[in-house]
Amino acid sequence: MNTSCFQHIKKRFTFCKIVFLTFALHSFTCQSQQKMITPPYLQKGDTVAILATARKNIDDNLKPTIDLLHSWGLEAVIGSTIGLDVNQLAGTDEQRAADFQKQLDNPNIKAIWCVRGGYGTVRMIDLLDFTKFRQHPKWIIGFSDVTVLHNHLNTMGYKSIHGVMPVTIPRATPAAISSMKAGLFGEPLSYTVGPDKMNRYGKATGELVGGNLSILYSLLGSPSAIDCKDKILFIEDLDEYLYHIDRMMMNLRRNGCIENLKGIIVGGMTKMKDNEVPWGKNAVEIVDDVTKKYNIPVIFNFPAGHIQDNRALIMGSTITIEVNESGSTVVFNK
């Protein structure tokens, strides 16, 4: 092969490589900045399905939630998983998936409210077909183990609501309940929180992602794992050993999640446990320690999670957070 021919091939190879890298970068940017789809907000007369995706609910405890929905002008449908009892779970994986699929495919159901958390949603997520959901999106509501659904829907490009569940309605604060109604009916949603000595100041705008820290950790590497780039991460947890919190936060950091965030909101870190030999930091101090080298705003002690004042968060929404010496604000942008 002569020199001129070799140079020509080299130039063509370089050109093709540039085109490929440009296309790949464009595709990655589009994926990380995808326009999230908002399901239709509820209107009076709409129907909400209550079902179980994880732990069983065999108690007669849904009247407060049904009464609440009626007070909002909504109707309630009780799924077939309510009352099922297979050890810890509300029926088999197939039964829970079938109930969820039925409500997912029914165009008359405008929202699905998961009755409680626990564990088990991840066991049925891969049995679901979201084809009809894409045609007629609806709100999926809950927290704790429902983080599996929030994260999975986020990867699909759909918003969902992290907030109180039917079993927590009797002990939820009025503010938590009213924020849920605001989120479902498309009313303006914003929060002002008092100052916290652990807060890190700053202002950021980005898409809200996250949920229960243990679930986020367990989904890493799966098709349901969220993309953290340019996002604002919300985390909360319950009943975990402190060294587990450190391990999960370190995993997020080593996976490149934390370094790419625009901000962090830390909700309730409830009923944390320690070993006989203490870990040496509480949950909030662990989060601070793992994230302190990044120059991003962090809100601590935000009212959301396994607490009575569990304010609604529209996951997938673009929000603006501002943290200063006076406190913090979280504003959901339309």
Side-chain angles (χ1 to χ4, degrees):
M1 182 183 294
N2 60 42
T3 303
S4 61
C5 182
F6 177 79
Q7 291 295 334
H8 176 71
I9 293 173
K10 185 177 179 181
K11 287 179 181 179
R12 285 182 61 85
F13 175 76
T14 303
F15 173 77
C16 290
K17 185 165 71 170
I18 291 171
V19 170
F20 172 78
L21 290 174
T22 302
F23 175 78
L25 179 61
H26 175 72
S27 298
F28 176 79
T29 302
C30 289
Q31 182 181 14
S32 62
Q33 297 177 354
Q34 66 178 332
K35 176 73 172 177
M36 299 297 292
I37 296 172
T38 305
Y41 293 113
L42 299 191
Q43 299 178 358
K44 288 188 176 182
D46 284 345
T47 300
V48 177
I50 300 173
L51 50 67
T53 62
R55 184 167 294 169
K56 63 188 177 185
N57 191 76
I58 57 176
D59 298 325
D60 183 14
N61 57 1
L62 296 183
K63 187 177 185 302
T65 299
I66 294 170
D67 290 345
L68 177 67
L69 290 172
H70 288 167
S71 74
W72 292 350
L74 302 173
E75 299 300 322
V77 166
I78 306 303
S80 59
T81 46
I82 301 301
L84 292 186
D85 185 352
V86 177
N87 299 315
Q88 293 187 16
L89 301 173
T92 65
D93 299 340
E94 291 75 16
Q95 286 174 317
R96 298 195 313 283
D99 191 14
F100 198 92
Q101 191 72 60
K102 178 182 177 181
Q103 312 306 337
L104 204 63
D105 293 348
N106 186 345
N108 296 319
I109 300 297
K110 304 303 182 183
I112 297 175
W113 203 351
C114 299
V115 70
R116 69 187 314 156
Y119 169 75
T121 307
V122 74
R123 294 183 57 88
M124 52 156 271
I125 188 69
D126 294 326
L127 302 177
L128 299 176
D129 181 352
F130 287 90
T131 301
K132 291 187 177 179
F133 172 85
R134 292 181 185 275
Q135 298 168 1
H136 302 284
K138 59 191 69 180
W139 290 103
I140 309 299
I141 313 161
F143 74 107
S144 190
D145 197 61
V146 184
T147 297
V148 173
L149 288 164
H150 293 314
N151 282 230
H152 195 80
L153 290 168
N154 185 271
T155 67
M156 293 169 52
Y158 293 87
K159 298 180 184 179
S160 56
I161 296 183
H162 180 287
V164 294
M165 295 188 288
V167 297
T168 66
I169 288 295
R171 59 182 181 273
T173 65
I177 294 173
S178 63
S179 69
M180 173 62 74
K181 182 182 179 184
L184 284 172
F185 283 84
E187 300 168 5
L189 196 61
S190 64
Y191 301 112
T192 299
V193 184
D196 189 286
K197 65 179 182 179
M198 300 295 291
N199 282 353
R200 294 212 296 276
Y201 300 163
K203 184 176 182 179
T205 297
E207 180 189 318
L208 179 64
V209 297
N212 180 265
L213 177 59
S214 295
I215 302 300
L216 291 171
Y217 166 77
S218 71
L219 294 176
L220 288 174
S222 78
S224 304
I226 53 172
D227 174 12
C228 293
K229 184 173 175 55
D230 295 330
K231 309 295 174 59
I232 294 175
L233 179 68
F234 166 74
I235 56 173
E236 63 84 27
D237 220 322
L238 167 75
D239 197 29
E240 284 288 347
Y241 277 96
L242 293 172
Y243 82 91
H244 287 185
I245 298 295
D246 188 85
R247 177 168 59 194
M248 292 186 287
M249 289 300 301
M250 288 300 300
N251 197 337
L252 289 181
R253 190 169 83 177
R254 296 188 71 230
N255 270 278
C257 176
I258 296 174
E259 68 185 49
N260 290 310
L261 294 172
K262 285 191 171 181
I264 301 174
I265 300 173
V266 183
M269 290 292 181
T270 310
K271 296 181 180 178
M272 295 288 111
K273 300 179 290 188
D274 207 349
N275 301 94
E276 184 176 345
V277 177
W279 177 251
K281 291 183 174 67
N282 62 35
V284 167
E285 291 168 338
I286 292 169
V287 174
D288 179 66
D289 179 59
V290 175
T291 64
K292 63 186 177 183
K293 73 176 185 177
Y294 304 104
N295 186 28
I296 56 175
V298 181
I299 301 173
F300 286 95
N301 199 30
F302 184 85
H306 288 79
I307 55 178
Q308 291 182 329
D309 195 15
N310 183 14
R311 308 289 180 92
L313 299 171
I314 304 176
M315 310 308 289
S317 284
T318 298
I319 67 171
T320 298
I321 64 172
E322 186 166 6
V323 191
N324 55 42
E325 64 276 2
S326 300
S328 308
T329 58
V330 177
V331 179
F332 288 78
N333 305 333
K334 282 290 187 178

